[in-house]
Protein backbone atom coordinates (compact mmCIF):
# COMPACT_ATOMS: atom_id res chain seq x y z
CA UNK A 1 0.00 0.00 0.00
CA UNK A 2 1.00 3.64 -0.45
CA UNK A 3 0.95 4.97 3.09
CA UNK A 4 1.01 8.66 3.94
CA UNK A 5 3.00 8.90 7.18
CA UNK A 6 2.46 12.24 8.92
CA UNK A 7 5.26 13.03 11.38
CA UNK A 8 7.29 10.32 9.67
CA UNK A 9 10.67 11.96 10.38
CA UNK A 10 10.08 11.62 14.14
CA UNK A 11 11.06 8.88 16.55
CA UNK A 12 8.22 6.39 16.05
CA UNK A 13 7.49 7.54 12.48
CA UNK A 14 11.02 6.83 11.21
CA UNK A 15 11.01 3.33 12.73
CA UNK A 16 7.60 2.73 11.18
CA UNK A 17 8.90 3.78 7.75
CA UNK A 18 11.56 1.05 8.04
CA UNK A 19 9.00 -1.60 8.96
CA UNK A 20 6.57 -0.46 6.23
CA UNK A 21 9.30 -0.74 3.59
CA UNK A 22 10.38 -4.13 4.90
CA UNK A 23 6.77 -5.32 4.69
CA UNK A 24 6.57 -4.20 1.03
CA UNK A 25 4.66 -0.94 1.52
CA UNK A 26 5.61 2.54 0.26
CA UNK A 27 5.73 5.28 2.90
CA UNK A 28 5.31 8.91 1.82
CA UNK A 29 6.20 11.34 4.60
CA UNK A 30 4.98 14.80 5.53
CA UNK A 31 6.71 16.46 8.48
CA UNK A 32 7.33 20.09 9.40
CA UNK A 33 10.49 19.05 11.30
CA UNK A 34 9.40 20.97 14.41
CA UNK A 35 10.73 18.13 16.55
CA UNK A 36 12.86 16.09 14.16
CA UNK A 37 15.49 16.08 11.44
CA UNK A 38 15.12 15.01 7.81
CA UNK A 39 18.38 13.12 8.37
CA UNK A 40 16.31 10.39 10.02
CA UNK A 41 14.89 9.62 6.57
CA UNK A 42 18.40 9.44 5.08
CA UNK A 43 19.12 6.85 7.75
CA UNK A 44 15.93 4.97 6.84
CA UNK A 45 17.34 4.78 3.30
CA UNK A 46 20.69 3.51 4.64
CA UNK A 47 18.88 0.77 6.60
CA UNK A 48 16.43 -0.33 3.91
CA UNK A 49 18.12 0.67 0.64
CA UNK A 50 14.93 2.54 -0.30
CA UNK A 51 14.54 6.32 -0.46
CA UNK A 52 11.44 7.72 1.23
CA UNK A 53 9.49 10.39 -0.62
CA UNK A 54 9.48 13.40 1.72
CA UNK A 55 7.37 16.56 1.78
CA UNK A 56 8.45 19.21 4.27
CA UNK A 57 5.16 20.77 5.34
CA UNK A 58 2.57 21.21 8.04
CA UNK A 59 -0.38 18.87 8.44
CA UNK A 60 -2.50 21.88 9.47
CA UNK A 61 -1.83 23.33 5.97
CA UNK A 62 -4.65 22.18 3.71
CA UNK A 63 -2.81 23.25 0.54
CA UNK A 64 0.24 21.16 1.43
CA UNK A 65 -1.96 18.10 2.00
CA UNK A 66 -3.92 18.72 -1.23
CA UNK A 67 -0.66 18.62 -3.16
CA UNK A 68 0.43 15.32 -1.60
CA UNK A 69 -2.91 13.59 -2.09
CA UNK A 70 -3.11 14.85 -5.66
CA UNK A 71 0.40 13.71 -6.55
CA UNK A 72 0.23 10.28 -4.88
CA UNK A 73 -2.35 7.49 -4.93
CA UNK A 74 -2.55 7.16 -1.14
CA UNK A 75 -4.28 4.04 0.21
CA UNK A 76 -3.99 4.69 3.90
CA UNK A 77 -2.69 7.29 6.39
CA UNK A 78 -0.75 6.81 9.61
CA UNK A 79 -1.08 10.02 11.62
CA UNK A 80 1.90 10.49 13.97
CA UNK A 81 2.29 14.27 13.59
CA UNK A 82 1.69 15.98 16.89
CA UNK A 83 3.27 17.78 19.79
CA UNK A 84 3.91 15.43 22.69
CA UNK A 85 5.62 17.15 25.64
CA UNK A 86 3.33 16.85 28.65
CA UNK A 87 4.93 19.71 30.63
CA UNK A 88 4.97 22.06 27.64
CA UNK A 89 1.30 21.29 26.96
CA UNK A 90 0.48 22.72 30.41
CA UNK A 91 2.28 26.00 29.67
CA UNK A 92 1.14 26.46 26.03
CA UNK A 93 -2.14 24.51 25.86
CA UNK A 94 -3.61 26.43 22.95
CA UNK A 95 -0.64 25.53 20.75
CA UNK A 96 -1.24 21.87 21.58
CA UNK A 97 -4.96 21.99 20.85
CA UNK A 98 -4.39 23.93 17.60
CA UNK A 99 -1.66 21.63 16.36
CA UNK A 100 -2.94 18.23 17.47
CA UNK A 101 -6.65 18.75 16.82
CA UNK A 102 -6.15 21.11 13.85
CA UNK A 103 -3.84 18.68 12.04
CA UNK A 104 -6.24 15.77 12.61
CA UNK A 105 -9.29 17.67 11.34
CA UNK A 106 -7.53 19.16 8.30
CA UNK A 107 -6.06 15.77 7.43
CA UNK A 108 -9.43 14.00 7.61
CA UNK A 109 -11.11 16.72 5.53
CA UNK A 110 -8.54 16.43 2.73
CA UNK A 111 -8.54 12.62 2.95
CA UNK A 112 -12.33 12.50 2.54
CA UNK A 113 -12.15 14.84 -0.45
CA UNK A 114 -9.73 12.43 -2.13
CA UNK A 115 -11.69 9.33 -1.12
CA UNK A 116 -8.95 8.14 1.24
CA UNK A 117 -10.82 6.77 4.25
CA UNK A 118 -8.36 4.62 6.16
CA UNK A 119 -6.48 6.15 9.08
CA UNK A 120 -4.32 4.79 11.88
CA UNK A 121 -3.93 7.24 14.74
CA UNK A 122 -1.18 7.57 17.39
CA UNK A 123 -3.04 7.63 20.64
CA UNK A 124 -1.67 6.99 24.07
CA UNK A 125 -2.23 5.15 27.34
CA UNK A 126 -2.59 8.64 28.77
CA UNK A 127 -6.25 8.67 27.59
CA UNK A 128 -7.07 6.10 30.31
CA UNK A 129 -8.50 7.47 33.51
CA UNK A 130 -6.15 7.20 36.50
CA UNK A 131 -8.64 5.25 38.63
CA UNK A 132 -8.70 2.03 36.53
CA UNK A 133 -7.68 -1.43 37.71
CA UNK A 134 -4.55 -2.80 36.06
CA UNK A 135 -3.97 -4.09 33.46
CA UNK A 136 -5.67 -1.58 31.19
CA UNK A 137 -8.03 -3.03 28.60
CA UNK A 138 -9.40 -1.14 25.61
CA UNK A 139 -12.71 -1.08 27.49
CA UNK A 140 -11.19 0.53 30.60
CA UNK A 141 -12.46 3.97 31.53
CA UNK A 142 -11.01 6.93 29.60
CA UNK A 143 -10.97 10.63 30.40
CA UNK A 144 -9.94 12.56 33.52
CA UNK A 145 -6.71 13.36 31.65
CA UNK A 146 -4.15 15.14 33.81
CA UNK A 147 -2.76 17.49 31.14
CA UNK A 148 -3.69 19.19 27.82
CA UNK A 149 -1.55 16.77 25.80
CA UNK A 150 -3.63 13.85 27.11
CA UNK A 151 -6.85 15.71 26.32
CA UNK A 152 -5.71 16.29 22.71
CA UNK A 153 -5.34 12.52 22.28
CA UNK A 154 -8.70 11.91 23.94
CA UNK A 155 -10.41 14.52 21.74
CA UNK A 156 -8.76 13.30 18.52
CA UNK A 157 -9.97 9.77 19.32
CA UNK A 158 -13.51 11.16 19.69
CA UNK A 159 -13.30 13.15 16.43
CA UNK A 160 -12.11 10.07 14.53
CA UNK A 161 -14.75 7.85 16.14
CA UNK A 162 -17.46 10.31 15.09
CA UNK A 163 -16.14 10.41 11.52
CA UNK A 164 -16.30 6.60 11.35
CA UNK A 165 -19.83 6.67 12.76
CA UNK A 166 -21.04 9.27 10.26
CA UNK A 167 -19.59 7.58 7.18
CA UNK A 168 -19.43 3.75 7.19
CA UNK A 169 -16.80 3.82 4.44
CA UNK A 170 -14.18 5.00 6.94
CA UNK A 171 -11.78 2.72 8.72
CA UNK A 172 -10.30 4.25 11.87
CA UNK A 173 -7.71 2.41 13.98
CA UNK A 174 -6.80 4.04 17.29
CA UNK A 175 -3.52 2.73 18.72
CA UNK A 176 -2.88 3.43 22.40
CA UNK A 177 0.86 3.26 22.96
CA UNK A 178 2.31 2.49 26.35
CA UNK A 179 5.98 3.55 26.88
CA UNK A 180 7.99 3.39 23.63
CA UNK A 181 11.74 2.97 24.18
CA UNK A 182 14.76 1.59 22.34
CA UNK A 183 15.96 2.12 18.81
CA UNK A 184 16.54 0.23 15.57
CA UNK A 185 19.23 -2.42 16.06
CA UNK A 186 21.42 -0.73 13.41
CA UNK A 187 21.93 2.21 15.82
CA UNK A 188 21.12 4.56 12.90
CA UNK A 189 17.74 5.87 14.07
CA UNK A 190 16.48 6.57 17.57
CA UNK A 191 15.05 9.13 19.93
CA UNK A 192 16.79 12.44 20.52
CA UNK A 193 14.71 14.74 22.72
CA UNK A 194 15.40 18.47 22.63
CA UNK A 195 16.78 19.79 25.93
CA UNK A 196 16.39 17.92 29.18
CA UNK A 197 14.54 14.64 28.59
CA UNK A 198 11.19 14.20 30.35
CA UNK A 199 11.05 10.47 29.79
CA UNK A 200 12.96 7.86 31.73
CA UNK A 201 14.93 5.99 29.04
CA UNK A 202 16.46 9.03 27.30
CA UNK A 203 17.38 10.38 30.74
CA UNK A 204 19.05 7.08 31.65
CA UNK A 205 21.03 6.95 28.39
CA UNK A 206 22.07 10.63 28.60
CA UNK A 207 23.23 10.02 32.18
CA UNK A 208 25.19 6.95 31.10
CA UNK A 209 26.96 8.96 28.41
CA UNK A 210 27.76 11.77 30.85
CA UNK A 211 25.44 14.49 29.50
CA UNK A 212 23.45 14.40 32.76
CA UNK A 213 25.10 14.03 36.14
CA UNK A 214 22.55 11.67 37.63
CA UNK A 215 19.04 10.36 37.19
CA UNK A 216 16.40 11.54 39.66
CA UNK A 217 14.14 8.62 40.50
CA UNK A 218 10.77 10.24 41.09
CA UNK A 219 9.54 8.58 44.28
CA UNK A 220 10.43 5.31 46.01
CA UNK A 221 7.37 5.07 48.24
CA UNK A 222 4.77 3.87 45.71
CA UNK A 223 2.87 0.67 46.34
CA UNK A 224 5.05 -1.36 43.93
CA UNK A 225 7.61 -4.16 44.43
CA UNK A 226 10.48 -1.71 45.06
CA UNK A 227 8.56 1.52 45.68
CA UNK A 228 9.36 3.10 42.28
CA UNK A 229 6.85 3.67 39.45
CA UNK A 230 5.98 0.74 37.20
CA UNK A 231 5.37 1.14 33.43
CA UNK A 232 4.88 -1.01 30.35
CA UNK A 233 7.97 -0.28 28.22
CA UNK A 234 7.68 -1.37 24.60
CA UNK A 235 10.50 -1.57 22.05
CA UNK A 236 9.92 0.98 19.28
CA UNK A 237 10.48 -1.65 16.58
CA UNK A 238 7.66 -3.76 18.04
CA UNK A 239 5.51 -0.63 18.13
CA UNK A 240 6.38 0.11 14.50
CA UNK A 241 5.39 -3.44 13.50
CA UNK A 242 2.08 -2.84 15.29
CA UNK A 243 1.38 -0.12 12.70
CA UNK A 244 2.01 -2.52 9.84
CA UNK A 245 -0.54 -4.87 11.43
CA UNK A 246 -2.93 -1.94 11.93
CA UNK A 247 -2.90 -0.89 8.26
CA UNK A 248 -3.69 -4.49 7.24
CA UNK A 249 -6.60 -4.40 9.67
CA UNK A 250 -7.77 -1.07 8.24
CA UNK A 251 -7.58 -2.48 4.71
CA UNK A 252 -9.90 -5.35 5.63
CA UNK A 253 -12.27 -3.78 8.16
CA UNK A 254 -14.45 -0.70 8.16
CA UNK A 255 -15.55 1.23 11.24
CA UNK A 256 -13.58 2.09 14.35
CA UNK A 257 -11.26 -0.13 16.36
CA UNK A 258 -8.98 0.59 19.30
CA UNK A 259 -5.93 -1.40 20.37
CA UNK A 260 -3.38 -1.25 23.17
CA UNK A 261 0.22 -1.51 22.00
CA UNK A 262 2.11 -2.66 25.07
CA UNK A 263 3.83 -5.81 26.29
CA UNK A 264 1.62 -6.55 29.30
CA UNK A 265 4.67 -6.54 31.59
CA UNK A 266 5.45 -3.73 34.00
CA UNK A 267 8.96 -2.76 35.08
CA UNK A 268 9.88 -0.29 37.81
CA UNK A 269 12.25 2.65 37.39
CA UNK A 270 14.94 0.76 39.33
CA UNK A 271 14.33 -2.41 37.26
CA UNK A 272 15.06 -0.33 34.15
CA UNK A 273 18.19 1.25 35.66
CA UNK A 274 19.56 -2.16 36.68
CA UNK A 275 18.70 -3.74 33.32
CA UNK A 276 20.44 -0.88 31.48
CA UNK A 277 23.55 -1.24 33.65
CA UNK A 278 23.68 -5.00 33.12
CA UNK A 279 22.93 -4.99 29.38
CA UNK A 280 25.56 -2.34 28.65
CA UNK A 281 28.07 -2.85 31.48
CA UNK A 282 27.86 0.82 32.42
CA UNK A 283 26.87 2.68 35.59
CA UNK A 284 23.83 4.96 35.80
CA UNK A 285 24.21 7.20 38.87
CA UNK A 286 20.87 8.04 40.48
CA UNK A 287 19.30 9.69 43.49
CA UNK A 288 15.86 9.21 44.96
CA UNK A 289 13.83 12.40 44.46
CA UNK A 290 10.28 13.42 45.36
CA UNK A 291 7.36 12.01 43.39
CA UNK A 292 6.53 13.80 40.11
CA UNK A 293 3.07 15.40 40.29
CA UNK A 294 0.45 13.53 38.26
CA UNK A 295 2.37 10.23 38.12
CA UNK A 296 0.57 6.94 38.74
CA UNK A 297 2.20 4.14 40.73
CA UNK A 298 1.56 1.52 38.07
CA UNK A 299 0.42 1.49 34.43
CA UNK A 300 0.52 -1.50 32.08
CA UNK A 301 -1.51 -2.91 29.23
CA UNK A 302 -3.55 -5.97 28.62
CA UNK A 303 -2.40 -6.63 25.02
CA UNK A 304 -4.80 -9.57 24.44
CA UNK A 305 -6.98 -7.79 21.88
CA UNK A 306 -3.99 -6.77 19.74
CA UNK A 307 -2.71 -10.35 19.82
CA UNK A 308 -6.06 -11.88 18.91
CA UNK A 309 -7.33 -9.35 16.37
CA UNK A 310 -4.20 -7.72 14.90
CA UNK A 311 -2.12 -10.92 15.25
CA UNK A 312 0.59 -8.73 16.69
CA UNK A 313 2.60 -9.02 19.86
CA UNK A 314 5.78 -7.48 21.21
CA UNK A 315 8.83 -9.69 20.68
CA UNK A 316 11.70 -7.64 22.10
CA UNK A 317 12.60 -7.98 25.76
CA UNK A 318 13.95 -5.55 28.35
CA UNK A 319 17.57 -6.37 27.46
CA UNK A 320 16.92 -5.55 23.78
CA UNK A 321 15.35 -2.24 24.81
CA UNK A 322 18.36 -1.29 26.96
CA UNK A 323 21.00 -2.51 24.51
CA UNK A 324 19.45 -0.82 21.46
CA UNK A 325 18.91 2.47 23.34
CA UNK A 326 22.59 2.52 24.25
CA UNK A 327 23.75 1.52 20.77
CA UNK A 328 21.89 4.52 19.29
CA UNK A 329 22.95 6.91 22.09
CA UNK A 330 26.63 5.96 22.02
CA UNK A 331 26.82 6.09 18.20
CA UNK A 332 24.91 9.39 18.03
CA UNK A 333 25.62 11.35 21.23
CA UNK A 334 24.09 14.47 19.64
CA UNK A 335 21.28 12.73 17.81
CA UNK A 336 21.21 13.63 14.12
CA UNK A 337 23.44 16.71 14.63
CA UNK A 338 27.01 16.17 13.50
P1 LIG B 1 8.20 12.91 17.59
O1 LIG B 1 8.11 14.30 18.09
O2 LIG B 1 9.55 12.31 17.43
O3 LIG B 1 7.42 12.78 16.19
C1 LIG B 1 6.33 13.61 15.85
C2 LIG B 1 6.67 14.23 14.51
O4 LIG B 1 5.58 15.05 14.09
C3 LIG B 1 7.91 15.13 14.56
O5 LIG B 1 8.77 14.73 13.52
C4 LIG B 1 7.36 16.55 14.32
O6 LIG B 1 8.30 17.33 13.63
C5 LIG B 1 6.11 16.25 13.53
N1 LIG B 1 5.03 17.25 13.63
C6 LIG B 1 4.44 17.74 14.74
N2 LIG B 1 3.44 18.58 14.41
C7 LIG B 1 3.39 18.60 13.04
C8 LIG B 1 2.57 19.26 12.10
N3 LIG B 1 1.58 20.08 12.47
N4 LIG B 1 2.80 19.05 10.78
C9 LIG B 1 3.80 18.22 10.37
N5 LIG B 1 4.60 17.57 11.23
C10 LIG B 1 4.40 17.76 12.54
O7 LIG B 1 7.28 12.01 18.54
P2 LIG B 1 7.09 10.44 18.58
O8 LIG B 1 7.56 9.96 19.91
O9 LIG B 1 7.60 9.81 17.34
O10 LIG B 1 5.50 10.38 18.62
C11 LIG B 1 4.72 10.18 17.46
C12 LIG B 1 3.25 10.24 17.86
O11 LIG B 1 3.01 9.25 18.85
C13 LIG B 1 2.82 11.57 18.46
O12 LIG B 1 1.52 11.88 18.03
C14 LIG B 1 2.83 11.29 19.93
O13 LIG B 1 1.94 12.11 20.64
C15 LIG B 1 2.38 9.83 19.97
N6 LIG B 1 2.78 9.12 21.18
C16 LIG B 1 4.11 9.10 21.53
C17 LIG B 1 4.50 8.44 22.70
C18 LIG B 1 5.95 8.45 23.13
O14 LIG B 1 6.21 8.18 24.32
N7 LIG B 1 6.91 8.71 22.27
C19 LIG B 1 3.54 7.79 23.48
C20 LIG B 1 2.21 7.82 23.08
C21 LIG B 1 1.84 8.48 21.92
N1 LIG C 1 10.91 8.80 35.85
C1 LIG C 1 11.91 9.03 36.77
N2 LIG C 1 12.88 9.95 36.45
C2 LIG C 1 12.90 10.63 35.27
C3 LIG C 1 11.86 10.37 34.32
C4 LIG C 1 10.88 9.45 34.67
O1 LIG C 1 11.93 8.44 37.85
O2 LIG C 1 13.79 11.45 35.05
C5 LIG C 1 9.87 7.80 36.17
C6 LIG C 1 8.45 8.35 36.20
O3 LIG C 1 8.14 8.87 37.49
C7 LIG C 1 7.62 7.11 35.82
C8 LIG C 1 8.56 6.34 34.87
O4 LIG C 1 9.87 6.84 35.14
O5 LIG C 1 7.42 6.30 36.98
C9 LIG C 1 8.24 6.57 33.39
O6 LIG C 1 8.17 7.97 33.14
P1 LIG C 1 8.07 8.56 31.67
O7 LIG C 1 8.01 10.05 31.79
O8 LIG C 1 9.14 7.97 30.82
O9 LIG C 1 6.69 7.97 31.14
P2 LIG C 1 5.18 8.18 31.67
O10 LIG C 1 5.21 8.77 33.03
O11 LIG C 1 4.58 9.06 30.67
O12 LIG C 1 4.59 6.81 31.69
Amino acid sequence: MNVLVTGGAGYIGSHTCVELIEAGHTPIVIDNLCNSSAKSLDRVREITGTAVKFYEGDVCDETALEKILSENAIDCVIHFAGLKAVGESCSIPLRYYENNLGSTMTLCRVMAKHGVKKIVFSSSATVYSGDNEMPLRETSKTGNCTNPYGWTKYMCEQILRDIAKADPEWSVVLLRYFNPVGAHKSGKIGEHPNGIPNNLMPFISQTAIGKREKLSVFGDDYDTHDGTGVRDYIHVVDLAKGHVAAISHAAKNKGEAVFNLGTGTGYSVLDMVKAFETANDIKVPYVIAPRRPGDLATCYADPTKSREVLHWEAKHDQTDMCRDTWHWQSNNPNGYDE
Side-chain angles (χ1 to χ4, degrees), residues 20 55 113 152 181 224 252 271 284 290-291 293 310 319 321:
L20 286 169
Y55 292 84
K113 192 173 157 197
T152 69
V181 296
T224 61
K252 292 186 217 120
D271 289 337
V284 180
R291 290 181 178 194
L310 291 181
T319 304
M321 297 176 201

Side-chain angles (χ1 to χ4, degrees), residues 7 9-13 30-36 57-60 80-84 99 103 122-124 149 153 177-178 180:
Y11 171 47
I12 304 169
I30 175 170
D31 200 302
N32 64 6
L33 306 179
C34 69
N35 194 39
S36 55
D58 199 300
V59 186
C60 299
F80 291 109
L83 300 174
K84 63 164 186 176
N99 191 69
S103 61
S122 293
S123 190
S124 167
Y149 165 71
K153 292 294 172 191
Y177 312 157
F178 281 69

Side-chain angles (χ1 to χ4, degrees), residues 86 179 197-203 215-219 222 228-231 233 269 292 295-297 299:
V86 169
N179 290 60
N198 292 307
N199 295 114
L200 179 65
M201 271 307 250
F203 209 108
L215 169 74
S216 293
V217 175
F218 297 143
Y222 286 106
T228 68
V230 166
R231 296 290 183 274
Y233 297 95
V269 176
R292 187 171 64 178
D295 271 357
L296 294 176
C299 177

Side-chain angles (χ1 to χ4, degrees), residues 175-307:
L175 298 180
R176 294 182 181 150
Y177 312 157
F178 281 69
N179 290 60
V181 296
H184 191 264
K185 66 178 187 305
S186 63
K188 286 180 185 289
I189 54 175
E191 182 176 22
H192 185 67
N194 284 328
I196 301 171
N198 292 307
N199 295 114
L200 179 65
M201 271 307 250
F203 209 108
I204 289 179
S205 61
Q206 290 197 10
T207 303
I209 209 161
K211 282 190 164 200
R212 312 278 155 208
E213 192 191 331
K214 51 185 179 284
L215 169 74
S216 293
V217 175
F218 297 143
D220 68 346
D221 56 354
Y222 286 106
D223 183 16
T224 61
H225 65 275
D226 61 13
T228 68
V230 166
R231 296 290 183 274
D232 186 338
Y233 297 95
I234 173 166
H235 195 293
V236 66
V237 170
D238 284 325
L239 192 71
K241 288 180 193 287
H243 292 76
V244 178
I247 62 167
S248 299
H249 181 84
K252 292 186 217 120
N253 299 277
K254 292 193 167 56
E256 173 250 346
V258 53
F259 298 100
N260 284 337
L261 294 185
T263 65
T265 303
Y267 290 112
S268 74
V269 176
L270 291 182
D271 289 337
M272 293 306 282
V273 170
K274 284 177 205 141
F276 192 93
E277 291 185 330
T278 306
N280 301 311
D281 195 21
I282 192 161
K283 287 307 277 180
V284 180
Y286 68 85
V287 287
I288 304 298
R291 290 181 178 194
R292 187 171 64 178
D295 271 357
L296 294 176
T298 302
C299 177
Y300 61 96
D302 178 343
T304 307
K305 186 179 174 195
S306 298
R307 189 172 60 238

